[in-house]
Amino acid sequence: MTTHLHMLPPSVNNLAVRVFLRAANLPFAEENAWGKTRTPEFMAKIPAHLTPAIEHKDHPRGAMWESCAIMMYLANKHKLEALYPSDPERRALIDSANFYLTGSLYPLIARSTYPRMGFPGYAGEVSATQEASAELKASARNAAEGAIAEPLEVFRTYFVRDGFIGDGPTPSIADIRLASTLEFLAINDTHLPAWCKDYIARVEAKLGKFYTEPAADVRGFIAQTKKAS
Ligand SMILES: N[C@@H](CCC(=O)N[C@@H](CS)C(=O)NCC(=O)O)C(=O)O
């Protein structure tokens, strides 16, 4: 059964599910959601107006969103042991990494990279506050960039170590989510730590074109954005 994926090519939230669908060898169709997420048709199916979102006929609402939840659902449904092991302890590492990423690391990445990417900030953030001066916006962005080092170090010492998240021989859904997310840091001034570069290369070496092909959309967008700045 084909999974219909609504996606935005430059987005790392989307990249995670795009890599996952390829690595899982599941039949899928991708539709570019650019300019469509706030339309009544889209919001009737996906009221959160977020991508990645999938339409799947077995799902009780017919559609769902949230990158990690989508990967968990499809991995559970198709019993994808290598990507999402059922062993409770290995799964605990993977779930903890994914929740920590979306809850703690990603907000810092969004606040530091979105202003440079030209993506809108979230309501209440300095970057999305019209009255805030350019200086204040730059200072808030810099503070977010500076704060990334700490959660990254947690990923290095606790989750990744020298292998993959979940302690398996191949990347799990948490590795797909983390490697994809790290791609955005290329737009920041802080150099990506060497371990992150090694880690992305390790994930990419195992997944091959399943990673490289969709990652080219994000990498191309960042290169274009840097050139224009
Ligand atoms: N936590 C979500 C974040 C999803 C998200 O922020 N999606 C953005 C693109 S990166 C989006 O589709 N925005 C379109 C809109 O809000 O209309 C996930 O991991 O899937």
Side-chain angles (χ1 to χ4, degrees):
M1 185 188 318
T2 301
T3 298
H4 191 91
L5 175 68
H6 297 275
M7 60 94 194
L8 292 171
S11 149
V12 293
N13 291 316
N14 282 269
L15 177 59
V17 173
R18 298 181 72 202
V19 172
F20 167 81
L21 285 169
R22 288 161 173 80
N25 202 19
L26 295 174
F28 66 92
E30 288 182 336
E31 180 179 344
N32 192 331
W34 181 248
K36 298 180 189 166
T37 53
R38 313 267 171 153
T39 60
E41 294 77 14
F42 192 93
M43 289 187 64
K45 294 179 207 164
I46 299 140
H49 55 77
L50 289 175
T51 62
I54 58 163
E55 288 185 57
H56 199 292
K57 96 168 176 36
D58 290 347
H59 189 279
R61 303 285 183 275
M64 69 179 289
W65 62 94
E66 280 298 330
S67 57
C68 295
I70 292 170
M71 294 192 286
M72 291 159 88
Y73 167 57
L74 292 174
N76 278 332
K77 188 171 177 60
H78 298 283
K79 302 195 175 13
L80 305 175
E81 270 295 319
L83 286 162
Y84 193 39
S86 53
D87 171 71
E89 282 67 40
R90 292 187 58 203
R91 188 166 277 203
L93 282 169
I94 292 165
D95 290 347
S96 174
N98 273 341
F99 282 48
Y100 183 57
L101 187 148
T102 48
S104 297
L105 174 62
Y106 197 80
L108 299 174
I109 293 188
R111 283 183 218 128
S112 63
T113 62
Y114 283 18
R116 290 186 172 182
M117 302 282 201
F119 297 165
Y122 297 94
E125 284 180 354
V126 177
S127 66
T129 305
Q130 252 176 354
E131 304 78 49
S133 66
E135 288 75 24
L136 189 59
K137 285 183 180 174
S139 148
R141 199 213 66 80
N142 289 341
E145 180 170 327
I148 289 172
E150 194 208 306
L152 268 197
E153 191 59 7
V154 174
F155 272 102
R156 183 181 75 79
T157 57
Y158 179 90
F159 288 115
V160 173
R161 302 194 167 170
D162 291 323
F164 295 112
I165 301 173
D167 292 348
T170 52
S172 68
I173 58 170
D175 294 298
I176 291 176
R177 181 64 244 206
L178 177 60
S180 300
T181 302
L182 295 176
E183 295 282 344
F184 256 5
L185 294 181
I187 197 83
N188 282 354
D189 299 328
T190 310
H191 289 298
L192 199 60
W195 79 264
C196 290
K197 289 185 188 159
D198 292 348
Y199 171 69
I200 295 173
R202 193 156 69 240
V203 171
E204 192 162 5
K206 287 280 184 198
L207 299 179
K209 68 176 182 354
F210 299 145
Y211 187 93
T212 308
E213 185 226 308
D217 287 333
V218 173
R219 291 169 177 173
F221 181 79
I222 292 173
Q224 204 184 345
T225 307
K226 276 181 160 176
K227 218 164 117 186
S229 70

